[in-house]
Amino acid sequence: MNALVPLPVLLPLCATGLSLAFGIRLARFQRFISVAVLTAVLALSVILMVAADRQGPLSVHLGDFAPPLGITLVADRLSGLMLTVSSAVTLCVLVYSLGQGMTDRDKETPLAVFHPAYLILVSGVSCTFLAKHDLVNLYVGFEIMLVASFVLLTLGGTGPRMRAGSTYVIISLFSSMLFLTAIAMTYAATGTANFAQLATRLADLPLGVQTLIQAMLLTVFAIKAAVFPLAAWLPDSYPTAPAPVTAVFAGLLTKVGVYCMLRTETLLFPGNRLGDLLMAVALASMVIGILGAVAQTDLKRLLSFTLISHIGYMVFGIGLATREAYGGAIVYVAHHITVQTTLFLVAGLIERRGGTTELTRLGGLARAAPMLALLFFVPAMNLAGIPPLSGFIGKLGLMRVGVADGSAWAWVLVAPAATSLLTLYVVAKVWNLAFWRAAPPGQAATGTVLESGDDSDDDSDAGPDDIPGTGDEGIATARRPEGRAVAATLHERAVTTTSRLPHPMVAATAATILFALAFTVFADPLTAYTDRAAAELIQRTPYILEVLGR
């Protein structure tokens, strides 16, 4: 069983090579390889999660180097759950992107870049979840993700995407430099970067040195998780990207940062020395994030601010530093990955149906597209924490732990549960503006199709940036088959609208909704599993022994 541990990292990397080799001539083979590999990764993740729960942590020492030398991959309960959730989400997003025609079909471009970059991203995420025995290997996993994300974020090369990508690149490079500095300081102080050895050696350092290293690592992970006040980059970076890219970034990549915070705080820095600081940033993230969402009229920016707000709930659980709190935080991470991804996928469907995500220019979608209304309503209520959905289960668990803790900070954090009411207000505003009210005159959501010119090519897989005659400036439209139109207004990119949404996009979105609803249906087994995962995190000993091979 241990031999299966490296496969979630290696399979996407091997598929990347095949995708690059055959993608030019055999685009269908490229798509088949991507879907088949991610399906296999999902199956492997489920197997590893079940095996880690029954047998304890699984490990493999690559190159047969004895610890702490070489690279050791470890799958325990927490990493098994995160692998399963992330694999399911990335598979659904891939299917969604195939329906939208996300691959680059420009004949002047020698390679279709979307699939290779996406597979590398998946490999980087898996590497981060599994290569947690060593700070250096954790850094490598982050860099694999970042290299792929730079490509995905700027797909199409439009002006807004390049500007947003530049911001993302600068912030990412800064956090990477900070991470390297933290690793160097840790190695200088302890003589190792191995987690299992650090778990014992850090306790022998002076308190000030321990606190400095802890603060450095928390800062790095907080930037990647978009914790306030280190989240200013997120609302400007994500909304300009293509819908599938935005969905997987917002739903998954920020949670990788939360995962690393959870892992390092329990393994390397037990005792909750910076608990008050974590509580303070959790409070700020909850309040500032949701207030920012209230002020937005663009759906993608609105969802980006709700993301910042709900990261605060996860940090709240980490700050409480008890088994029950860690379990509640893990539940909320799994829930939020699926729900946030789903909402960004729905935002892509709304943009495709209505031609925009600007709420003031939308309306009438409940009547014109009732299926789309249902696809938004269910995850929106889940995000707001309406009983008995998983959002309510996660928040209730964290609030109960806060009340039981009884500290001043815990009560301060329990009080902003009122932010859930503001989340409900935000999603209700979206529902009222985009779905419930009458459509503005001439809006594509009413079924009106903008058409002009002629299009002799029926390339239904082409993305909006592949349509000739549409750009970032001026107004341009192009006739599309099956009631489609491409419309670009001043200073906006071209957007493909259609009265019939592609079935793969709808099916993939519905699958993520069902996956999130499964957290409600199987709430008792899920919370029991996360409770065992939290207990394993606190014990530390089984993990240390597995990494050191004892």
Side-chain angles (χ1 to χ4, degrees), residues 510-530:
T512 59
I513 293 175
L514 293 176
F515 187 50
L517 290 177
F519 293 155
T520 301
V521 176
F522 301 102
D524 188 61
L526 174 64
T527 53
Y529 182 93
T530 57

Side-chain angles (χ1 to χ4, degrees), residues 183-504:
I183 293 173
M185 291 174 54
T186 303
Y187 189 85
T190 63
T192 183
N194 183 278
F195 273 22
Q197 291 181 324
L198 287 174
T200 57
R201 295 186 186 182
L202 281 172
D204 298 329
L205 296 178
L207 182 60
V209 177
Q210 294 183 49
T211 304
L212 177 60
I213 294 174
Q214 182 180 8
M216 291 280 287
L217 291 175
L218 279 178
T219 302
V220 172
F221 301 143
I223 293 174
K224 298 181 183 299
V227 176
F228 185 86
L230 303 174
W233 57 271
L234 188 146
D236 292 327
S237 299
Y238 285 0
T240 59
V245 175
T246 305
V248 76
F249 277 30
L252 181 56
L253 295 194
T254 51
K255 309 312 179 302
V256 174
V258 175
Y259 168 86
C260 291
M261 292 176 66
L262 184 62
R263 181 69 67 179
T264 54
E265 286 299 294
T266 54
L267 182 62
L268 303 184
F269 306 104
N272 199 28
R273 285 189 298 272
L274 297 182
D276 289 346
L277 176 62
L278 290 174
M279 293 286 197
V281 298
L283 174 63
S285 298
M286 288 183 189
V287 176
I288 302 300
I290 199 60
L291 291 180
V294 169
Q296 302 305 312
T297 58
D298 180 84
L299 179 57
K300 289 184 179 180
R301 285 185 61 85
L302 180 149
L303 292 175
S304 297
F305 276 100
T306 62
L307 168 61
I308 296 172
S309 177
H310 286 257
I311 290 292
Y313 288 95
M314 307 168 205
V315 178
F316 173 39
I318 298 173
L320 286 174
T322 64
R323 179 177 58 83
E324 295 80 5
Y326 290 141
I330 296 170
V331 169
Y332 207 83
V333 168
H335 144 79
H336 200 260
I337 288 174
T338 55
V339 170
Q340 196 74 35
T341 301
T342 303
L343 286 171
F344 273 100
L345 294 181
V346 173
L349 293 176
I350 292 173
E351 185 176 33
R352 195 173 184 89
R353 183 63 177 82
T356 182
T357 55
E358 177 60 41
L359 297 175
T360 58
R361 294 163 53 191
L362 290 170
L365 289 177
R367 179 183 295 272
M371 175 57 72
L372 182 56
L374 179 63
L375 292 177
F376 171 79
F377 182 81
V378 176
M381 294 299 101
N382 204 344
L383 182 71
I386 300 300
L389 299 174
S390 57
F392 171 77
I393 295 172
K395 290 178 182 176
L396 178 62
L398 289 172
M399 295 305 107
R400 290 177 60 184
V401 174
V403 171
D405 183 88
S407 65
W409 268 116
W411 279 107
V412 170
L413 267 294
V414 169
T419 56
S420 295
L421 298 178
L422 289 177
T423 302
L424 181 60
Y425 166 79
V426 166
V427 297
K429 180 177 76 171
V430 176
W431 176 264
N432 179 56
L433 294 177
F435 294 92
W436 195 249
R437 68 169 181 167
Q443 177 61 35
T446 63
T448 302
V449 178
L450 305 174
E451 294 183 349
S452 68
D454 185 25
D455 183 9
S456 58
D457 294 326
D458 183 6
D459 188 3
S460 58
D461 286 334
D465 295 318
D466 302 320
I467 311 301
T470 60
D472 293 333
E473 297 181 357
I475 299 175
T477 60
R479 187 181 180 91
R480 299 296 291 164
E482 299 181 3
R484 298 181 186 180
V486 177
T489 57
L490 190 62
H491 303 305
E492 293 183 0
R493 65 183 179 85
V495 176
T496 302
T497 62
T498 176
S499 57
R500 293 196 300 270
L501 296 172
H503 294 305

Side-chain angles (χ1 to χ4, degrees), residues 1-7 48 51-52 55-62 64-65 67 71-77 79 130-133 542-550:
M1 190 64 67
N2 288 0
L4 299 179
V5 175
L7 294 183
L48 290 176
Q55 305 174 20
L58 307 173
S59 67
V60 59
H61 307 296
L62 302 182
D64 202 25
F65 286 100
I71 299 174
T72 302
L73 301 181
V74 182
D76 58 6
R77 290 187 177 95
S79 56
L130 293 172
K132 55 187 179 298
H133 83 289
Y543 171 83
I544 294 174
L545 294 178
E546 184 68 26
V547 170
L548 296 179
R550 297 174 182 173

Side-chain angles (χ1 to χ4, degrees), residues 7 9-21 33 37 119-120 123:
L7 294 183
V9 181
L10 296 179
L11 285 181
L13 288 179
C14 294
T16 300
L18 291 175
S19 181
L20 290 172
I33 285 294
V37 166
L119 290 170
I120 291 175
S123 179

